[in-house]
Amino acid sequence: MGEYSERALGFPAFQPRRRARGRFARTWWGNAWVEGVEEDALDKAPVKRGRAYAYAGHVGPITLSAGRISATVYDDHSSHATTVGVERFDPAQWRRLVAEIASRSGYLAALLERDLPEDLADDASAAGVFLVPGMGDLEPECSCGEIEHPCRHAAALCFQVAWLLDEDPFLLLLLRGRDEDDILDRVHRYASGSGDDGVDDAGGAAPDDAAVGAPARAAYAATIPALPGVLRPEPTPAPVGAELPAPPVAAVDVDTLRDLVHRSGERAREYLSA
């Protein structure tokens, strides 16, 4: 497999929509994308106009591929070739993302059900991998020649991409460089016990020290060594209330015992009469 996916997807143009109150997109991923676009903007005015263009259906069919979005965007009397570049992850970032997904069985199960969990964005960010583009991750270009970053045409294109992410958040992974099948394949290889996703920085086989942590499957499959030596149990003390053997009884001289009792009685009477 190459470093980046060669897949390109085409989507028909959106029909005009009525403006909705509140958030622009319907899902968490779509709105997170919108927040990233607005954060990256140097001027809010063209972004606001771009939002209006998106609602008005001024964007033609959209083509989306690794690191690139493109479409023709229309004004009232002209059209403009518009593209938005998206920063792609490098191999080290992909390795960390794959390790994060493989370390949690819930993430892998969700991906197999074609669900991209929202929590993955936070956990990936903690590992230094930011799924949602932010400041500096987007590079708009447009034939309109306007100097805004982004211009209203590029902003309109970005806003409509949020609607695409509402339907399929996995498109965000493709924009970052790899498609859904590629990610699942790498996660399976990592989780199978090999400890890597099969690709190093140069696109070849990953070295052994590229592994991050230990896969859970390998840890559970490991044989536990025997303990050194034999542990002998301590003797168990007799429980409270148990019958103990009676001590041996020595023989007693009866005559001597009677004499001692008599003497003791005589001495007691002497003390009392004194």
Side-chain angles (χ1 to χ4, degrees), residues 102-103 189-196 211-221:
S103 68
R189 280 198 279 170
Y190 186 95
S192 67
S194 62
D196 61 67
V212 180
R217 184 177 300 177
Y220 281 112

Side-chain angles (χ1 to χ4, degrees), residues 152-164:
R152 61 186 185 273
H153 310 103
L157 174 57
C158 286
F159 276 115
Q160 288 204 353
V161 168
W163 291 339
L164 295 178

Side-chain angles (χ1 to χ4, degrees), residues 52-123:
Y53 273 32
Y55 277 124
H58 285 193
V59 181
I62 298 174
T63 301
L64 189 149
S65 59
R68 191 174 187 271
I69 314 161
S70 63
T72 300
V73 183
Y74 300 91
D75 281 326
D76 293 335
H77 303 290
S78 60
S79 61
H80 305 281
T82 307
T83 64
V84 177
V86 181
E87 185 73 19
R88 297 177 296 186
F89 291 155
D90 60 33
Q93 289 172 304
W94 281 117
R95 279 200 300 273
R96 293 199 296 273
L97 179 60
V98 165
E100 188 64 39
I101 296 172
S103 68
R104 300 173 185 263
S105 60
Y107 285 161
L108 179 55
L111 263 62
L112 291 173
E113 293 292 328
R114 298 214 75 260
D115 176 34
L116 196 63
E118 299 169 15
D119 291 344
L120 178 59
D122 291 333
D123 290 334

Side-chain angles (χ1 to χ4, degrees), residues 129-162:
V129 184
F130 301 94
L131 285 173
V132 181
M135 184 68 72
D137 288 336
L138 302 176
E139 189 59 42
E141 294 183 5
C142 186
S143 61
C144 70
E146 297 173 0
I147 61 174
E148 290 92 347
H149 181 94
C151 68
R152 61 186 185 273
H153 310 103
L157 174 57
C158 286
F159 276 115
Q160 288 204 353
V161 168

Side-chain angles (χ1 to χ4, degrees), residues 1-268:
M1 301 179 192
E3 183 176 347
Y4 298 112
S5 173
E6 297 180 356
R7 178 175 295 180
L9 302 176
F11 301 91
F14 286 100
Q15 296 299 312
R17 296 187 179 187
R18 295 182 60 181
R19 296 193 183 193
R21 292 184 178 181
R23 293 189 158 192
F24 181 84
R26 177 173 49 82
T27 66
W28 184 90
W29 289 104
N31 285 303
W33 168 270
V34 168
E35 291 174 6
V37 170
E38 293 176 338
E39 176 186 309
D40 193 65
L42 300 179
D43 187 351
K44 302 304 180 184
V47 171
K48 189 174 182 178
R49 294 187 66 187
R51 182 188 292 253
Y53 273 32
Y55 277 124
H58 285 193
V59 181
I62 298 174
T63 301
L64 189 149
S65 59
R68 191 174 187 271
I69 314 161
S70 63
T72 300
V73 183
Y74 300 91
D75 281 326
D76 293 335
H77 303 290
S78 60
S79 61
H80 305 281
T82 307
T83 64
V84 177
V86 181
E87 185 73 19
R88 297 177 296 186
F89 291 155
D90 60 33
Q93 289 172 304
W94 281 117
R95 279 200 300 273
R96 293 199 296 273
L97 179 60
V98 165
E100 188 64 39
I101 296 172
S103 68
R104 300 173 185 263
S105 60
Y107 285 161
L108 179 55
L111 263 62
L112 291 173
E113 293 292 328
R114 298 214 75 260
D115 176 34
L116 196 63
E118 299 169 15
D119 291 344
L120 178 59
D122 291 333
D123 290 334
S125 296
V129 184
F130 301 94
L131 285 173
V132 181
M135 184 68 72
D137 288 336
L138 302 176
E139 189 59 42
E141 294 183 5
C142 186
S143 61
C144 70
E146 297 173 0
I147 61 174
E148 290 92 347
H149 181 94
C151 68
R152 61 186 185 273
H153 310 103
L157 174 57
C158 286
F159 276 115
Q160 288 204 353
V161 168
W163 291 339
L164 295 178
L165 293 176
D166 279 346
E167 301 301 325
D168 186 3
F170 282 90
L171 296 175
L172 192 55
L173 296 176
L174 178 57
L175 285 175
R176 287 303 201 178
R178 290 179 178 166
D179 59 49
E180 174 186 351
D181 293 340
D182 190 6
I183 294 299
L184 287 174
D185 178 67
R186 294 174 192 276
V187 170
H188 277 301
R189 280 198 279 170
Y190 186 95
S192 67
S194 62
D196 61 67
D197 69 349
V199 173
D200 63 6
D201 291 347
D208 292 339
D209 60 1
V212 180
R217 184 177 300 177
Y220 281 112
T223 302
I224 301 176
L227 295 174
V230 178
L231 299 179
R232 300 185 180 278
E234 295 288 338
T236 304
V240 176
E243 294 185 3
L244 298 177
V249 179
V252 178
D253 186 342
V254 176
D255 292 335
T256 301
L257 181 59
R258 286 176 179 173
D259 184 55
L260 289 174
V261 171
H262 177 72
R263 289 182 183 181
S264 297
E266 291 293 332
R267 185 171 296 179

